[in-house]
C-alpha cells in the first residue's frame, strides 16, 4: 500500500513559488517525511526532510501540518532547472528503507 | 569522493543470460540499496543491506540476488534474465538514519 499520495503533475511559472503537496495520512510518530527529485533519468537527488517541525534549507522549505498527515514542499523561486519529478517519501526513523510512489511531475514554464 | 558509482551504464542481455550489476561507494556508508525503475514509474526497492554480511529483501526481490562482503561494494546479480527485468537500476547508499545518495543508474534491456 502506498504510504503517500501526490498529484501526478503540476505546472509553475518561472520565478514563482512552486508548492507541491503530499498526503501521508497514515504516518506514524516514528516516521520522517523526505523529499527527493529526479531530473530526466538521473538518480534521485535529496532535497529536504523533516519529522514534525517545518524545515528550510538552501533548496526548499518543508511545511508539515500539525497532525502530520500532510506536507508541502515549497521551491521559493522556481527555475527551468527545477523541472523534475518530485517524490514524497515516508521513512521510519530507525529503518533505512525508502518506498517511492509515482511522484509529481513539475514543469516550470518560462 | 566519487560517491556512488555503478557499472555498466548500459547493458543488453538475451533471455536466460546472467549478469552482475556493480555498485560501489566511497563514503563508508553502512546502508546500501538496489532499486529498479520502470518507465513512468517510481523506484521500487529490490534488496538492501544494513552492513557487511547482512542483506534483506525489499518490495520486488524475485529474480535477483545480492551479497555484501565489504562495506564498499553491493553487487546485484540476475541469475536468468527475463524481459520483465528490462528497467533502469539504481544503487544508493546512506549512513544510518541519513539521506540516501544515488548512483547514475544502469539501463538494462533484456531481449
Amino acid at each position: 500500500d502506498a504510504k503517500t499520495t501526490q498529484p501526478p503533475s503540476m505546472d509553475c511559472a518561472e520565478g514563482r513559488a512552486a508548492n507541491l503537496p503530499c498526503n501521508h495520512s497514515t504516518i506514524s510518530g516514528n516516521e520522517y517525511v523526505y523529499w527527493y527529485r529526479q531530473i530526466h533519468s538521473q538518480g534521485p537527488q535529496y532535497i529536504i526532510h523533516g519529522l514534525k517541525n517545518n524545515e528550510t534549507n538552501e533548496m526548499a522549505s518543508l511545511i508539515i501540518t500539525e497532525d502530520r498527515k500532510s506536507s508541502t514542499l515549497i521551491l521559493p523561486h522556481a527555475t527551468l532547472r527545477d523541472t523534475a519529478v518530485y517524490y514524497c517519501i515516508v521513512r521510519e526513523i530507525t529503518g533505512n528503507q525508502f518506498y517511492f510512489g509515482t511522484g509529481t511531475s513539475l514543469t516550470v514554464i518560462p | 569522493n566519487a560517491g556512488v558509482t555503478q557499472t555498466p551504464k548500459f547493458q543488453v542481455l538475451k533471455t536466460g543470460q546472467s549478469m552482475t550489476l556493480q555498485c560501489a561507494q566511497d563514503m563508508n556508508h553502512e546502508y546500501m540499496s538496489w532499486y529498479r525503475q520502470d518507465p513512468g514509474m517510481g523506484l521500487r526497492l529490490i534488496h538492501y543491506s544494513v552492513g557487511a554480511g547482512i542483506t534483506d529483501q525489499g518490495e520486488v526481490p524475485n529474480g535477483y540476488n545480492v551479497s555484501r562482503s565489504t562495506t564498499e561494494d553491493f553487487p546485484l546479480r540476475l541469475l536468468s534474465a527475463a524481459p520483465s527485468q528490462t528497467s533502469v537500476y539504481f544503487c544508493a547508499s546512506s549512513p544510518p538514519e541519513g539521506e540516501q545518495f544515488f548512483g547514475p543508474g544502469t539501463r538494462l534491456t533484456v531481449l
Side-chain angles (χ1 to χ4, degrees):
Chain A
D1 290 340
K3 289 192 169 187
T4 64
T5 305
Q6 300 177 252
S9 63
M10 293 180 63
D11 293 338
C12 176
E14 188 178 17
R16 304 296 294 269
N19 296 280
L20 290 87
C22 179
N23 184 299
H24 32 79
S25 58
T26 60
I27 194 169
S28 65
N30 67 340
E31 290 180 316
Y32 283 107
V33 178
Y34 272 75
W35 283 83
Y36 278 75
R37 73 180 183 184
Q38 188 175 27
I39 297 173
H40 298 301
S41 299
Q42 299 174 20
Q45 174 190 22
Y46 167 80
I47 302 173
I48 198 168
H49 74 280
L51 185 60
K52 52 185 177 181
N53 297 322
N54 297 338
E55 302 287 344
T56 295
N57 63 21
E58 65 278 4
M59 289 181 69
S61 294
L62 174 60
I63 309 298
I64 302 174
T65 58
E66 192 169 343
D67 63 7
R68 300 186 69 241
K69 293 185 177 182
S70 65
S71 62
T72 301
L73 177 75
I74 302 173
L75 308 178
H77 304 287
T79 70
L80 298 180
R81 286 179 293 181
D82 292 323
T83 292
V85 178
Y86 288 77
Y87 295 99
C88 169
I89 301 157
V90 166
R91 193 210 102 185
E92 287 185 8
I93 291 175
T94 56
N96 220 55
Q97 296 80 55
F98 284 69
Y99 293 98
F100 287 73
T102 52
T104 295
S105 178
L106 175 70
T107 301
V108 179
I109 302 168
Chain B
N1 288 352
V4 180
T5 57
Q6 293 184 236
T7 56
K9 285 188 169 57
F10 300 93
Q11 182 70 51
V12 178
L13 292 177
K14 294 181 180 178
T15 297
Q17 287 185 314
S18 62
M19 81 159 294
T20 299
L21 307 185
Q22 302 291 345
C23 175
Q25 53 95 6
D26 61 359
M27 297 173 281
N28 202 32
H29 287 165
E30 294 182 35
Y31 286 64
M32 296 187 75
S33 306
W34 274 104
Y35 297 84
R36 62 176 287 174
Q37 185 174 33
D38 300 329
M41 305 286 287
L43 281 71
R44 290 185 292 170
L45 183 65
I46 304 172
H47 285 286
Y48 63 96
S49 169
V50 299
I54 305 170
T55 64
D56 207 344
Q57 297 180 349
E59 299 172 89
V60 288
N62 292 341
Y64 307 95
N65 279 354
V66 292
S67 60
R68 185 95 179 272
S69 56
T70 68
T71 300
E72 295 77 20
D73 300 299
F74 190 42
L76 178 72
R77 281 184 288 277
L78 284 71
L79 301 177
S80 179
S84 60
Q85 293 178 304
T86 293
S87 191
V88 181
Y89 291 84
F90 291 100
C91 178
S93 74
S94 69
E97 301 180 23
E99 67 190 76
Q100 289 200 340
F101 294 83
F102 285 82
T106 293
R107 283 147 184 79
L108 175 68
T109 301
V110 182
L111 302 175

